[in-house]
Amino acid sequence: MMIDTNAMVSITEANQNFSKIARLVDEHGSAVILKNNVPRYLVIDFSEVNAEIEASDEDVMAISKRLIMKNREAYEVLAK
């Protein structure tokens, strides 16, 4: 995930003006809230959550395929 430096705000500013955070998320897709000048919180559009979950499912499928290929002989024995 690429983070736009224009979408970074301090926790104090976020606390005082949350509508600004919402606008940043609408414009940039995410906003990073800094605490003590260190990125601490990430606010993203809720629709982006599904995209992250789907990517995880793809990772699981890739791992499954790799394990099946690695253990093909054992699966063939079990299938008998």
Side-chain angles (χ1 to χ4, degrees):
M1 170 184 276
M2 296 295 292
I3 298 173
D4 188 347
T5 56
N6 294 323
M8 298 176 105
V9 296
S10 69
I11 195 163
T12 304
E13 187 175 2
N15 201 12
Q16 294 172 351
N17 191 1
F18 190 77
S19 61
K20 178 179 181 178
I21 305 301
R23 279 193 304 275
L24 286 172
V25 172
D26 289 341
E27 293 171 9
H28 300 279
S30 66
V32 176
I33 300 174
L34 306 171
K35 185 173 185 180
N36 298 325
N37 291 325
V38 176
R40 183 66 182 254
Y41 304 102
L42 175 66
V43 181
I44 61 171
D45 189 309
F46 191 77
S47 64
E48 295 294 320
V49 174
N50 286 333
E52 294 295 324
I53 291 171
E54 290 172 8
S56 296
D57 289 345
E58 291 172 5
D59 292 342
V60 170
M61 292 300 293
I63 292 169
S64 297
K65 287 179 184 178
R66 189 176 73 232
L67 289 172
I68 289 170
M69 294 303 292
K70 181 178 178 181
N71 300 303
R72 178 174 294 277
E73 289 179 34
Y75 288 123
E76 288 174 355
V77 170
L78 290 172
K80 292 182 182 178

